[in-house]
Amino acid sequence: MDVLEAILVALTGLWLFLPAMLPNSAAVVTGGGAPVDFGRSWKGRRILGDGKTWKGFFGGAVAGIILGLIQIAISSPFDAVDYWGFGPLWGSLGVLTALAVGSLLGDMLGSFIKRRLNLERGAKAPILDQYDFLIGAFLLTGLLFPGWVYAQYIEGGQILALAFLLFITPVLHRVVNVIGYKMGQKDVPW
Ligand code: CTP
Ligand code: MG
């Protein structure tokens, strides 16, 4: 693989993962109201906490799916067969839905773990805060569309796309959260 090819693999991997990246930022904007755990506790601690709301979950999922549909629309004049990697239609719709929903489930699993570790809502949890959504997105998409995940992020040189995602995710996470904090959308810059 030459350098140009490697860059293309990395950037395509990021492009295909955008429907998993947007939902958590969108949830900050659409969130509020009833928490997913409806305020309930388990063993004296909140199950998920007030930072995980139904409006945030559905708003985030819809945002990620709409972004994916826009990406498919953008790619369709150029690649009406594979949509630049999302795969043939119908399957591609399933993939981007799994990416969006999986990322939000991963984010909730992260909060579940944080509450078990006795960390309050919004408390810093390095690694967990940056990677919970990525793990959730890969788990759900890998469960429902294992062939797609294998072909795009593992097989042969494609592992480079995964490596690039692991590298760029904490960087983007930081940048987006500082912007959200400055815009008054987030209480803390992480
Ligand atoms: N949010 C939401 N519903 C979700 C996910 C996020 O409403 N399913 C909103 C909440 O307002 C939340 C904000 O997005 O405070 C930022 O999300 P995140 O950083 O994941 O939550 P924290 O408040 O930091 O809570 P936690 O400690 O549980 O991660
Ligand atoms: Mg947080």
Side-chain angles (χ1 to χ4, degrees), residues 63-78:
I65 290 168
I66 288 176
L67 175 64
L69 292 175
I70 292 171
Q71 291 180 264
I72 287 179
I74 290 172
S75 66
S76 64
F78 307 98

PDB file of all heavy atoms in Angstrom, residues 63-78:
ATOM      1  N   ALA A  63     -30.271  12.110  14.368  1.00  0.00           N
ATOM      2  CA  ALA A  63     -29.224  12.944  13.753  1.00  0.00           C
ATOM      3  C   ALA A  63     -28.189  12.084  13.032  1.00  0.00           C
ATOM      4  O   ALA A  63     -27.789  12.394  11.899  1.00  0.00           O
ATOM      5  CB  ALA A  63     -28.551  13.811  14.826  1.00  0.00           C
ATOM      6  N   GLY A  64     -27.761  11.005  13.675  1.00  0.00           N
ATOM      7  CA  GLY A  64     -26.760  10.135  13.058  1.00  0.00           C
ATOM      8  C   GLY A  64     -27.288   9.465  11.799  1.00  0.00           C
ATOM      9  O   GLY A  64     -26.581   9.340  10.796  1.00  0.00           O
ATOM     10  N   ILE A  65     -28.557   9.035  11.851  1.00  0.00           N
ATOM     11  CA  ILE A  65     -29.156   8.360  10.699  1.00  0.00           C
ATOM     12  C   ILE A  65     -29.337   9.353   9.546  1.00  0.00           C
ATOM     13  O   ILE A  65     -29.036   9.033   8.390  1.00  0.00           O
ATOM     14  CB  ILE A  65     -30.500   7.693  11.099  1.00  0.00           C
ATOM     15  CG1 ILE A  65     -30.210   6.496  12.026  1.00  0.00           C
ATOM     16  CG2 ILE A  65     -31.270   7.245   9.865  1.00  0.00           C
ATOM     17  CD1 ILE A  65     -31.433   5.930  12.726  1.00  0.00           C
ATOM     18  N   ILE A  66     -29.795  10.573   9.867  1.00  0.00           N
ATOM     19  CA  ILE A  66     -29.965  11.580   8.808  1.00  0.00           C
ATOM     20  C   ILE A  66     -28.615  11.919   8.171  1.00  0.00           C
ATOM     21  O   ILE A  66     -28.496  12.011   6.944  1.00  0.00           O
ATOM     22  CB  ILE A  66     -30.658  12.854   9.363  1.00  0.00           C
ATOM     23  CG1 ILE A  66     -32.131  12.555   9.628  1.00  0.00           C
ATOM     24  CG2 ILE A  66     -30.524  14.016   8.377  1.00  0.00           C
ATOM     25  CD1 ILE A  66     -32.907  13.691  10.272  1.00  0.00           C
ATOM     26  N   LEU A  67     -27.574  12.068   9.000  1.00  0.00           N
ATOM     27  CA  LEU A  67     -26.239  12.328   8.442  1.00  0.00           C
ATOM     28  C   LEU A  67     -25.824  11.196   7.503  1.00  0.00           C
ATOM     29  O   LEU A  67     -25.325  11.434   6.400  1.00  0.00           O
ATOM     30  CB  LEU A  67     -25.202  12.495   9.557  1.00  0.00           C
ATOM     31  CG  LEU A  67     -23.752  12.644   9.075  1.00  0.00           C
ATOM     32  CD1 LEU A  67     -23.590  13.927   8.251  1.00  0.00           C
ATOM     33  CD2 LEU A  67     -22.769  12.644  10.243  1.00  0.00           C
ATOM     34  N   GLY A  68     -26.058   9.961   7.916  1.00  0.00           N
ATOM     35  CA  GLY A  68     -25.719   8.811   7.081  1.00  0.00           C
ATOM     36  C   GLY A  68     -26.473   8.828   5.759  1.00  0.00           C
ATOM     37  O   GLY A  68     -25.905   8.517   4.705  1.00  0.00           O
ATOM     38  N   LEU A  69     -27.760   9.195   5.819  1.00  0.00           N
ATOM     39  CA  LEU A  69     -28.563   9.269   4.586  1.00  0.00           C
ATOM     40  C   LEU A  69     -28.004  10.341   3.659  1.00  0.00           C
ATOM     41  O   LEU A  69     -27.935  10.152   2.437  1.00  0.00           O
ATOM     42  CB  LEU A  69     -30.028   9.568   4.920  1.00  0.00           C
ATOM     43  CG  LEU A  69     -30.788   8.460   5.660  1.00  0.00           C
ATOM     44  CD1 LEU A  69     -32.196   8.922   6.037  1.00  0.00           C
ATOM     45  CD2 LEU A  69     -30.863   7.196   4.794  1.00  0.00           C
ATOM     46  N   ILE A  70     -27.584  11.472   4.248  1.00  0.00           N
ATOM     47  CA  ILE A  70     -26.979  12.541   3.440  1.00  0.00           C
ATOM     48  C   ILE A  70     -25.684  12.033   2.805  1.00  0.00           C
ATOM     49  O   ILE A  70     -25.414  12.268   1.621  1.00  0.00           O
ATOM     50  CB  ILE A  70     -26.710  13.796   4.312  1.00  0.00           C
ATOM     51  CG1 ILE A  70     -28.034  14.438   4.734  1.00  0.00           C
ATOM     52  CG2 ILE A  70     -25.835  14.804   3.550  1.00  0.00           C
ATOM     53  CD1 ILE A  70     -27.893  15.547   5.774  1.00  0.00           C
ATOM     54  N   GLN A  71     -24.883  11.292   3.574  1.00  0.00           N
ATOM     55  CA  GLN A  71     -23.627  10.747   3.041  1.00  0.00           C
ATOM     56  C   GLN A  71     -23.890   9.771   1.890  1.00  0.00           C
ATOM     57  O   GLN A  71     -23.178   9.773   0.891  1.00  0.00           O
ATOM     58  CB  GLN A  71     -22.856  10.033   4.153  1.00  0.00           C
ATOM     59  CG  GLN A  71     -22.315  10.973   5.207  1.00  0.00           C
ATOM     60  CD  GLN A  71     -21.564  10.197   6.275  1.00  0.00           C
ATOM     61  OE1 GLN A  71     -22.125   9.859   7.318  1.00  0.00           O
ATOM     62  NE2 GLN A  71     -20.309   9.885   6.018  1.00  0.00           N
ATOM     63  N   ILE A  72     -24.922   8.951   2.046  1.00  0.00           N
ATOM     64  CA  ILE A  72     -25.274   8.013   0.972  1.00  0.00           C
ATOM     65  C   ILE A  72     -25.736   8.788  -0.261  1.00  0.00           C
ATOM     66  O   ILE A  72     -25.355   8.465  -1.394  1.00  0.00           O
ATOM     67  CB  ILE A  72     -26.340   7.005   1.465  1.00  0.00           C
ATOM     68  CG1 ILE A  72     -25.669   6.018   2.431  1.00  0.00           C
ATOM     69  CG2 ILE A  72     -26.983   6.258   0.295  1.00  0.00           C
ATOM     70  CD1 ILE A  72     -26.589   4.978   3.013  1.00  0.00           C
ATOM     71  N   ALA A  73     -26.516   9.864  -0.023  1.00  0.00           N
ATOM     72  CA  ALA A  73     -26.978  10.690  -1.141  1.00  0.00           C
ATOM     73  C   ALA A  73     -25.801  11.351  -1.853  1.00  0.00           C
ATOM     74  O   ALA A  73     -25.762  11.415  -3.084  1.00  0.00           O
ATOM     75  CB  ALA A  73     -27.966  11.750  -0.636  1.00  0.00           C
ATOM     76  N   ILE A  74     -24.830  11.842  -1.072  1.00  0.00           N
ATOM     77  CA  ILE A  74     -23.644  12.489  -1.664  1.00  0.00           C
ATOM     78  C   ILE A  74     -22.858  11.493  -2.514  1.00  0.00           C
ATOM     79  O   ILE A  74     -22.393  11.812  -3.608  1.00  0.00           O
ATOM     80  CB  ILE A  74     -22.727  13.067  -0.547  1.00  0.00           C
ATOM     81  CG1 ILE A  74     -23.403  14.264   0.123  1.00  0.00           C
ATOM     82  CG2 ILE A  74     -21.364  13.483  -1.129  1.00  0.00           C
ATOM     83  CD1 ILE A  74     -22.671  14.782   1.362  1.00  0.00           C
ATOM     84  N   SER A  75     -22.730  10.266  -2.018  1.00  0.00           N
ATOM     85  CA  SER A  75     -21.891   9.292  -2.717  1.00  0.00           C
ATOM     86  C   SER A  75     -22.598   8.637  -3.907  1.00  0.00           C
ATOM     87  O   SER A  75     -21.935   8.143  -4.824  1.00  0.00           O
ATOM     88  CB  SER A  75     -21.426   8.205  -1.745  1.00  0.00           C
ATOM     89  OG  SER A  75     -22.527   7.446  -1.290  1.00  0.00           O
ATOM     90  N   SER A  76     -23.927   8.659  -3.905  1.00  0.00           N
ATOM     91  CA  SER A  76     -24.662   7.877  -4.912  1.00  0.00           C
ATOM     92  C   SER A  76     -24.384   8.253  -6.372  1.00  0.00           C
ATOM     93  O   SER A  76     -24.342   7.354  -7.218  1.00  0.00           O
ATOM     94  CB  SER A  76     -26.165   7.873  -4.621  1.00  0.00           C
ATOM     95  OG  SER A  76     -26.683   9.160  -4.729  1.00  0.00           O
ATOM     96  N   PRO A  77     -24.172   9.563  -6.707  1.00  0.00           N
ATOM     97  CA  PRO A  77     -23.861   9.851  -8.115  1.00  0.00           C
ATOM     98  C   PRO A  77     -22.515   9.257  -8.540  1.00  0.00           C
ATOM     99  O   PRO A  77     -22.292   9.001  -9.722  1.00  0.00           O
ATOM    100  CB  PRO A  77     -23.804  11.380  -8.177  1.00  0.00           C
ATOM    101  CG  PRO A  77     -24.422  11.868  -6.933  1.00  0.00           C
ATOM    102  CD  PRO A  77     -24.268  10.791  -5.903  1.00  0.00           C
ATOM    103  N   PHE A  78     -21.613   9.056  -7.584  1.00  0.00           N
ATOM    104  CA  PHE A  78     -20.264   8.564  -7.900  1.00  0.00           C
ATOM    105  C   PHE A  78     -20.167   7.043  -7.777  1.00  0.00           C
ATOM    106  O   PHE A  78     -19.401   6.404  -8.481  1.00  0.00           O
ATOM    107  CB  PHE A  78     -19.230   9.195  -6.960  1.00  0.00           C
ATOM    108  CG  PHE A  78     -19.292  10.688  -6.934  1.00  0.00           C
ATOM    109  CD1 PHE A  78     -19.984  11.356  -5.928  1.00  0.00           C
ATOM    110  CD2 PHE A  78     -18.665  11.442  -7.930  1.00  0.00           C
ATOM    111  CE1 PHE A  78     -20.047  12.744  -5.914  1.00  0.00           C
ATOM    112  CE2 PHE A  78     -18.722  12.827  -7.909  1.00  0.00           C
ATOM    113  CZ  PHE A  78     -19.427  13.483  -6.902  1.00  0.00           C
TER     114      PHE A  78
END
